[in-house]
Amino acid sequence: MGFVPRRGCCVGESRLREGGVEVLPLTVYRTHPIQELEPEIASALAAGEIDAVAVYSPSAVSGVIDAAARAGIGDERLPALLALGPTTAAACRERGHPAAVAPEDPG
C-alpha cells in the first residue's frame, strides 16, 4: 500500500500504479487565500511603503495579487515579488509580475 498527496505529481502516481502499488490519494493540506488585506498592510501597499513581498508558492502569488486588487491596489502599486523557487517565479511571470529574486533551487 502507498499514498501520494492529492495534488502530488500525477506522473509519480501513475508510475506507482504501473508498478502495482495501490495508491490512496491523501489531501495533506489545503490553501485558503485571505479575502482581504489587514488595513495597515493595505495602507502601506497603497502608499508604496512596502519594498518587496516574499511568496513561497504559486497560490501565495495569486493570493497576494488578488487580495491587493480587492483592496483597490492595482498592479502598478504592487512591490517586487521575491519567489522561493522556479515554480513560484513562473507563477509570478504568469500573473504579469516577474519575480525580483528567484533562486533556481530553493533547497
Side-chain angles (χ1 to χ4, degrees), residues 75-94:
D75 288 350
E76 70 285 349
R77 297 298 309 161
L78 284 177
L81 298 178
L82 310 176
L84 175 65
T87 303
T88 305
C92 292
R93 286 190 302 276
E94 289 169 9

Side-chain angles (χ1 to χ4, degrees), residues 7-15:
R7 295 199 39 125
C9 177
C10 54
V11 171
E13 182 177 339
S14 64
R15 285 190 179 161

Side-chain angles (χ1 to χ4, degrees), residues 53-86:
V53 174
V55 287
Y56 297 93
S57 68
S59 60
V61 173
S62 293
V64 167
I65 293 170
D66 295 344
R70 284 191 294 276
I73 300 165
D75 288 350
E76 70 285 349
R77 297 298 309 161
L78 284 177
L81 298 178
L82 310 176
L84 175 65

Side-chain angles (χ1 to χ4, degrees), residues 10-34:
C10 54
V11 171
E13 182 177 339
S14 64
R15 285 190 179 161
L16 287 171
R17 288 182 192 277
E18 289 168 7
V21 174
E22 178 185 1
V23 177
L24 304 172
L26 172 67
T27 302
V28 294
Y29 72 90
R30 288 192 176 112
T31 302
H32 298 280
I34 60 169

